[in-house]
Every structure is written in C-alpha cells, then in structure tokens.
Amino acid sequence: MTPFKHTFITIIALVAQLLPCIQAQVQPTTTYQPPPIASGNVSSSSSSNKVNARWSQLLGNALYFYDIQRSGTLPNNFRVDWRNNSVPNDGSDVGLDLSGGFFDAGNYIKATFPLCWVVTQLSWGGMMFGKGFDDSQQTAYLDSTLRVALDWLMTASSKQDEMVVLIGSDDFYWGGDQNIPTNDRPSYTITREKPGTDVFGSCASALTSASMLYAGTPLPISTTQNGTVASLQDANYSTTLLQRAETLFDLAQSSTPQQVYQKATKGVAWAYPSTDYADELVLSSTFLALATGNQTYADYAQKTYATNQFPFPNGALNWDQHTSATPVLLTQLSIARPSMGVSMSKYQTDSEKWLDNIVNKNMPQTFTTPGGLFYFDGDSDSASLNPSLNAAFLMMVYRRMASSTTKDRGYRSFAESQIDYALGKNPMNTVYAVGIHNNSAENPQSALASGGTNPKLIDTVPAQEAHVLYSGIVGGPDQNDNYYDQRSNWEQTEVALDSQSAMIVLAAHQLTTNASDPFYTGMTEERVILPYDADGGGGGGLSTGAQIAIAVVVIVVVLGLLAGLAFWQRERLRSLIRRRRFEKYEKS
Ligand SMILES: *[C@@H]1O[C@H](CO)[C@@H](O)[C@H](O)[C@H]1NC(C)=O
Ligand SMILES: *[C@@H]1O[C@H](CO)[C@@H](O)[C@H](O)[C@H]1NC(C)=O
Ligand SMILES: *[C@@H]1O[C@H](CO)[C@@H](O)[C@H](O)[C@H]1NC(C)=O
Ligand SMILES: *[C@@H]1O[C@H](CO)[C@@H](O)[C@H](O)[C@H]1NC(C)=O
Ligand SMILES: *[C@@H]1O[C@H](CO)[C@@H](O)[C@H](O)[C@H]1NC(C)=O
Ligand SMILES: *[C@@H]1O[C@H](CO)[C@@H](O)[C@H](O)[C@H]1NC(C)=O
Ligand SMILES: *[C@@H]1O[C@H](CO)[C@@H](O)[C@H](O)[C@H]1NC(C)=O
C-alpha cells in the first residue's frame, strides 16, 4: 500500500468514526445559564456583538424553561440544578416507558395534543428563522428540547395502531418533584378501533415538520426566498420520524369513525378537549407533501380543505385550532414545490382573510383591550397571551409571502404590538416572561418552581417563589389589562409548554431581522402590582353591587352567546369547554 493510499484510508476511517457524532445530538459549546435578571435591562447596543444580546437572552431563557419542565431521569450535570428525577413509572400501566417528556404546565400531567403543536411550531420556526437559533447559540437547546418531546412521542406511538394521549388525572397535587403521587397517573390511549383523528393528525404534523428540520429543509419566507434552517441536521433521525409520521397520518386518515379524541377515551376531556380534526388532516397532509413530494398528500390536503369549507376567517390559533394555519402552509407548499400544481394566489388570498380580519379588527368575538392586547372572547379568558402570541406567530411566518408590502408591514406591526405588550408595553408595566427584568411577573403558578406544598396556602407559602421559572410565559392579564400576580390565579399566572413555543419562534424571528431590543430593555416605569386577592384570581375586592352588576352582565352575555351559537362554526365551540385543570382545586 502506498503511503498516500494509507493516509487516504485512515482519513476515511476517521470520517466514518466521526459520522455518528456529526449526526447525533448537537452539543452546546458552553452551557447556557440564564444571566442575572438585571441584565435584561441593559441595552444590547453597548455590546460589540452583532447578535442582539437581549433577544438571545429571551430565546435562551425561554428554551431553559423546557429543561425546567423535564420529567423522568435527567442527564448528568443537568443545567437546572434544583430539578430531580421523577415519575419513573409513567406508561408502565400500558407497558411503555413514558417517564421522559415534559410536564405540561404548572401541574404534572403529560398531554400529547398540545405537545404536538409545540413541536410543530418550533420545527416550523426552525426552518424559517433558524439563523436566530444559530446566532444566539441556542441551536443545541432547540435540538435537545425537540428530542425530549419527539422521543416521548415516538414511544407513545410505538405500539401498532395505538397512541397514548394523556398521562395523569385531574387530581390536584401541589408540591415539588419528589412526592408526585404515582397512583393517579393512568395512561389514556386511542387506537385504530377507537381513534382520535385530531391527535393522530397533529402528531403526524409534529413528526413530519421535525423530520424536515432534521433533514435541513428550508421553508420559504417569501415567494422568492427560503428561510434559514437551524443547524441540527441528523438524516437518520429525520428518516425515523418521517416513517412514523406516515403511519400516524394513515391512522388519522383511514381509521373510523373520524372523531375528536375525547370521544374515543373517557377521562381526557377535562384537560385539553379538541374542537375538530379537519384542520389536523389538512395541516399534516400538507407537511407530508412538503417532506415527501408525494402528490397524493397534496391532493388529499386540498380536497379536505375544500370539503370542510376552509378557509375559516375566524377563530383562534392555538394547540387545538389550526385552521388558520392551513392556507399559510399551503402557500409555502405552492412556492416550495411548484410542480405540485397548488395555487399560490388562492392560498395567499385565503391566508389573508384571517390575518386581515385581525389586523383590521373585523373578527367576530375578538377585540383589543384598552392596553392593546388582541383578545378572543372565550379563548382568551384564561391564558390570554396564548391566542395573541400564536396570532403573532402566524403573522411573522406569513408576512413576507403577502400579496403586498403594505400587508407585510401591517402583519409585522400587529405581531410586534403583541410581542411588545407581552414584554412590558401594557398598563401593568409588567413583563409577562418570568425572570428577565425587574418588572417580570414573579408568581407563576408552577408546582415545580413554587416550593410550596400546601394548596390552601398556595399564594403565601413560601412568600417568594423558591425557584425562578426563567422566561416562563404566564397566562396573561384579563380583558381590562388587569393582572393579579398570585399563584392561585391559574387563568393568569399559569405557565404552559404551548405559550412558550410561540414566544420562542417570535424571538428567533426578531433575531433574524435585527429588531431593536425587547420592549422591557431600558424600561423606566414602575410595575403596577394589584392588591392581593384572597379569593384567588382577578377582580379582587369588588363590592357586592359590582358583583351583582357583573353577574347580570355575565347572564346577558351567556344568553347572547347561546343565541349566537347556532350561527357559529364548530371552531368556536371549543371556548365553551375550556381547560378545567384546576376546577377541582378551586371548588375545594
Ligand atoms: C429536588 O430535591 C431537592 C433535595 O431533596 C429538594 O430540595 C428540591 O426542592 C427538589 N426539587 C423540586 C423541584 O422539588
Ligand atoms: C429553497 O429550498 C429548496 C429546498 O431545499 C430548493 O429546492 C430551492 O431551490 C430553494 N429556493 C430558493 C429560492 O433558494
Ligand atoms: C437511527 O435512529 C434510530 C432511532 O433514533 C436509532 O435507534 C439508530 O441507532 C440510529 N442509527 C444510526 C446509524 O445512528
Ligand atoms: C404516496 O403516498 C401514498 C399514500 O401514503 C402511497 O400509497 C403511495 O405509494 C405514495 N407514492 C409514492 C410515489 O411514494
Ligand atoms: C424593582 O421593582 C420594584 C417594584 O416592582 C422596586 O421597588 C425596585 O426598586 C426595583 N428595583 C430596581 C433596581 O429598580
Ligand atoms: C443584520 O445585521 C447583520 C450584521 O450587521 C447584517 O449582516 C444583516 O444583513 C442584517 N440583517 C437584516 C435583515 O437587516
Ligand atoms: C432600566 O434602564 C433604564 C434606562 O437605562 C433606567 O432608567 C431604569 O432605572 C432601569 N431599570 C431598572 C429596574 O434597572
């Protein structure tokens, strides 16, 4: 063998050895820890770094939140040093190891349906604003967050024709991660015989979009330009995810009856009841058309879209309702795969119906609060920032594909108004991301972070939250912009996986467009702290007269809503079956 050949073979062998490392999970060069809270107020222009330090901090802290929410056996040297291993037996009742994954919100359940939207949203953003993750050195954490979710979803769907949709009952436990009751953590499943078309479909969207991200596929950001993809490619993982996605899509499409998952399995409706499934069928088949180039999926998406009378120009975008996102993704399909014959102008027009209704304040059941928050009657009554930030997400995803630059500007400015509101530009002068500014909300409802163990003393013991829930996006204020920063007030102070993902993508967008610092940086106003309300929840200290007046208004509104119900489309019904996670606790 010539020395040259020998060297060559050695190099090949080395590369072959390195290959699995290259393809495996991305490792951070240095461990990111949230910086001191006061740094959120320091202008990034004082730094020589071209990457905006403040948006990087928000993005980094917001991803750190997911680590706080982790379940199961944690890695060695885990960066959240106050978290412990927990719930090792999750899934054992159905023969699966579902100990990993994320706790859903301020409590300890694991919910598949909202998790699928989180993965879809992060992957979608990672294929458009990926440079934001790369530049802020957060790609490794995007990768680890996605893998924790994806590995859990893969296990939850690993038995043929079955999927776990929820772990946990509505028994309320308030305490740390060492004493989580294990006797009320049943696994609820859907099957081919008893399907949940929505969850099968939503999970197919999650796995397909993540598969595209791991394959390094960009999504268009305009009619002529692709977005940037976060650098976390892993071809093998991508293939594995896509195979499962196609299986799940087949379950959504072919198992009968097609129905929402709370019809298939008793015991889940209290947590995340679903409104509809047609939106999931369209979104997942569109992602599959993008990922595979298979015309069958594009045809199915368009046919299902048409038979369900989409576009639907009203209704929130959130973990449940994705109708408004379908024409946006179809527009991206028409640009990315022109040979599929999907009409760009049709889906632009359709996308803009919903977006314009919001920007032009024409959407029924919505209004803008005096302080500027976009508010959905019903959907915004708990977690008001969730519909607002999700709408901002879709505006930023779509805006450069708009039919005119005026619309692009309008969508961007609407989205930025909602981001600003969440980050301090509101009558409370409160930053609704925890631990990033002196004006941040301080009492998120989080059993993990609070340090308390007695639900009766939830607001007062301990006086100060034991752990900082970095950049946890709290529920948000009420329709008068009032915010009561107390843990019992779950409608306003609870954190959840799915408000977080919208803000993460928005921060990545801001990084890729060199936006100026977040609103809170340099903020001089004092935070308004409303008086403690012993009953828990907003509206503290109302007189009896005011309460009667409110009761009368509520009755009139309820009657009005019921009368209007017949005219509504199905999407709206969801607001009547709100999340009721803490109903039990509130009654006690
Ligand atoms: C983790 O365990 C430590 C030591 O027992 C405890 O102090 C801490 O509160 C636990 N963390 C949570 C979130 O319960
Ligand atoms: C966008 O990305 C796709 C897929 O990688 C590629 O085929 C296409 O040429 C790109 N388009 C532009 C305008 O760069
Ligand atoms: C490919 O991915 C699967 C599932 O994640 C894993 O079990 C397998 O070891 C991977 N193969 C390689 C060559 O990395
Ligand atoms: C396209 O997808 C359909 C449905 O999954 C499948 O039956 C068909 O074989 C696929 N076609 C190609 C060319 O892969
Ligand atoms: C932080 O805010 C509180 C009120 O929310 C105020 O009392 C305190 O002075 C502020 N700290 C600084 C350093 O401005
Ligand atoms: C943002 O700033 C960088 C560095 O100055 C520059 O290269 C890039 O073009 C800017 N991007 C935008 C969208 O303004
Ligand atoms: C934030 O920065 C502004 C402007 O530099 C300053 O006036 C204000 O006092 C700072 N707030 C805090 C809490 O440090």
Side-chain angles (χ1 to χ4, degrees):
M1 199 184 286
T2 65
F4 173 76
K5 249 187 181 167
H6 186 257
T7 312
F8 185 71
I9 289 171
T10 310
I11 289 172
I12 295 285
L14 266 175
V15 168
Q17 266 183 357
L18 277 172
L19 216 51
C21 308
I22 291 167
Q23 292 200 332
Q25 187 167 339
V26 181
Q27 297 303 323
T29 41
T30 52
T31 302
Y32 176 86
Q33 287 288 352
I37 286 174
S39 59
N41 200 41
V42 179
S43 165
S44 64
S45 65
S46 58
S47 141
S48 58
N49 195 333
K50 292 233 168 73
V51 182
N52 186 298
R54 297 288 72 84
W55 286 111
S56 299
Q57 180 188 358
L58 184 70
L59 184 64
N61 286 14
L63 282 164
Y64 189 89
F65 169 87
Y66 284 108
D67 271 1
I68 295 175
Q69 297 293 114
R70 275 185 71 167
S71 156
T73 305
L74 303 173
N76 291 333
N77 303 319
F78 191 54
R79 63 179 176 156
V80 188
D81 60 9
W82 51 272
R83 279 301 322 281
N84 310 288
N85 296 343
S86 57
V87 295
N89 300 324
D90 273 9
S92 57
D93 57 337
V94 290
L96 296 173
D97 178 1
L98 289 169
S99 58
F102 294 112
F103 297 122
D104 168 66
N107 59 355
Y108 292 103
I109 65 165
K110 293 179 188 171
T112 304
F113 195 35
L115 183 65
C116 292
W117 176 237
V118 168
V119 170
T120 304
Q121 194 163 38
L122 290 176
S123 302
W124 201 336
M127 289 183 278
M128 296 185 69
F129 317 125
K131 196 169 178 303
F133 293 95
D134 285 0
D135 286 352
S136 60
Q137 295 178 21
Q138 290 300 327
T139 297
Y141 296 109
L142 174 66
D143 187 24
S144 59
T145 300
L146 284 171
R147 281 178 195 261
V148 169
L150 290 163
D151 290 348
W152 190 87
L153 289 171
M154 289 296 285
T155 307
S157 62
S158 56
K159 284 195 199 170
Q160 194 180 348
D161 291 344
E162 270 190 48
M163 175 145 204
V164 174
V165 292
L166 182 73
I167 294 180
S169 73
D170 58 350
D171 286 342
F172 187 84
Y173 159 71
W174 186 249
D177 59 16
Q178 299 287 271
N179 303 307
I180 302 171
T182 50
N183 57 351
D184 64 350
R185 301 187 64 78
S187 306
Y188 298 92
T189 55
I190 52 173
T191 63
R192 182 175 282 282
E193 288 70 38
K194 291 190 168 172
T197 312
D198 42 11
V199 182
F200 284 141
S202 193
C203 196
S205 292
L207 299 190
T208 309
S209 55
S211 164
M212 291 174 68
L213 172 62
Y214 280 103
T217 315
L219 282 176
I221 50 168
S222 78
T223 55
T224 55
Q225 211 188 341
N226 280 330
T228 51
V229 189
S231 309
L232 42 64
Q233 279 60 61
D234 181 340
N236 174 44
Y237 199 45
S238 172
T239 307
T240 309
L241 296 172
L242 186 58
Q243 281 166 354
R244 182 64 55 78
E246 294 199 85
T247 310
L248 289 169
F249 176 75
D250 176 61
L251 277 164
Q253 185 206 346
S254 67
S255 56
T256 51
Q258 286 192 321
Q259 60 184 1
V260 293
Y261 77 112
Q262 68 267 24
K263 284 202 171 166
T265 174
K266 281 203 174 67
V268 302
W270 66 274
Y272 284 96
S274 160
T275 319
D276 201 1
Y277 53 81
D279 50 344
E280 319 301 351
L281 290 171
V282 177
L283 202 65
S284 55
S285 50
T286 307
F287 271 122
L288 280 164
L290 275 161
T292 64
N294 183 332
Q295 186 72 38
T296 310
Y297 291 124
D299 294 346
Y300 181 87
Q302 295 201 85
K303 196 186 90 209
T304 309
Y305 183 98
T307 39
N308 286 283
Q309 276 98 47
F310 288 4
F312 184 63
N314 308 323
L317 173 68
N318 58 19
W319 51 271
D320 168 34
Q321 305 170 75
H322 302 137
T323 310
S324 57
T326 56
V328 171
L329 193 66
L330 280 158
T331 304
Q332 289 182 302
L333 177 62
S334 73
I335 300 166
R337 293 193 178 271
S339 64
M340 286 189 141
V342 173
S343 161
M344 183 173 83
S345 62
K346 170 181 167 48
Y347 292 110
Q348 279 175 315
T349 307
D350 286 4
S351 300
E352 291 172 13
K353 284 184 178 151
W354 189 85
L355 299 167
D356 288 349
N357 259 359
I358 292 178
V359 170
N360 300 331
K361 304 190 195 299
N362 279 336
M363 192 177 285
Q365 282 94 41
T366 71
F367 59 93
T368 308
T369 66
L373 176 67
F374 174 60
Y375 200 98
F376 265 94
D377 263 333
D379 287 288
S380 301
D381 294 346
S382 64
S384 60
L385 290 170
N386 189 305
S388 149
L389 293 175
N390 272 290
F393 160 84
L394 203 62
M395 300 262 170
M396 292 305 203
V397 163
Y398 179 76
R399 66 180 184 83
R400 280 169 286 204
M401 290 176 270
S403 57
S404 75
T405 49
T406 313
K407 289 197 179 195
D408 173 356
R409 276 198 296 274
Y411 301 148
R412 181 173 191 170
S413 110
F414 171 86
E416 288 190 331
S417 74
Q418 300 308 297
I419 301 171
D420 285 351
Y421 186 100
L423 299 181
K425 193 175 184 179
N426 57 63
M428 301 283 106
N429 301 326
T430 295
V431 180
Y432 294 116
V434 177
I436 201 146
H437 191 275
N438 188 47
N439 286 21
S440 285
E442 287 177 313
N443 289 301
Q445 188 189 73
S446 161
L448 273 170
S450 109
T453 53
N454 183 349
K456 300 259 183 265
L457 302 175
I458 183 171
D459 287 322
T460 47
V461 179
Q464 192 179 358
E465 198 116 340
H467 307 287
V468 181
L469 197 63
Y470 285 103
S471 285
I473 305 298
V474 296
D478 67 16
Q479 54 175 289
N480 300 313
D481 304 298
N482 289 327
Y483 184 75
Y484 292 84
D485 193 5
Q486 58 192 86
R487 289 164 218 150
S488 58
N489 184 11
W490 68 270
E491 293 96 330
Q492 297 192 347
T493 65
E494 193 182 10
V495 290
L497 301 179
D498 62 303
S499 295
Q500 204 70 21
S501 44
M503 183 56 97
I504 286 172
V505 175
L506 290 168
H509 171 279
Q510 296 303 73
L511 279 161
T512 59
T513 55
N514 294 355
S516 49
D517 285 344
F519 182 81
Y520 52 70
T521 302
M523 197 173 164
T524 51
E525 293 82 358
E526 289 257 319
R527 180 157 76 108
V528 177
I529 299 176
L530 295 178
Y532 173 74
D533 166 19
D535 294 334
L542 284 181
S543 68
T544 313
Q547 284 179 14
I548 291 170
I550 286 172
V552 169
V553 170
V554 165
I555 289 167
V556 170
V557 167
V558 166
L559 289 178
L561 286 178
L562 287 176
L565 199 63
F567 300 104
W568 292 0
Q569 299 198 33
R570 298 164 80 179
E571 291 277 348
R572 297 303 314 163
L573 287 172
R574 208 199 64 73
S575 56
L576 297 179
I577 38 174
R578 296 296 308 152
R579 301 184 202 199
R580 284 175 299 172
R581 271 184 257 126
F582 290 94
E583 199 174 56
K584 236 182 181 169
Y585 160 69
E586 291 198 316
K587 276 196 214 123
S588 71

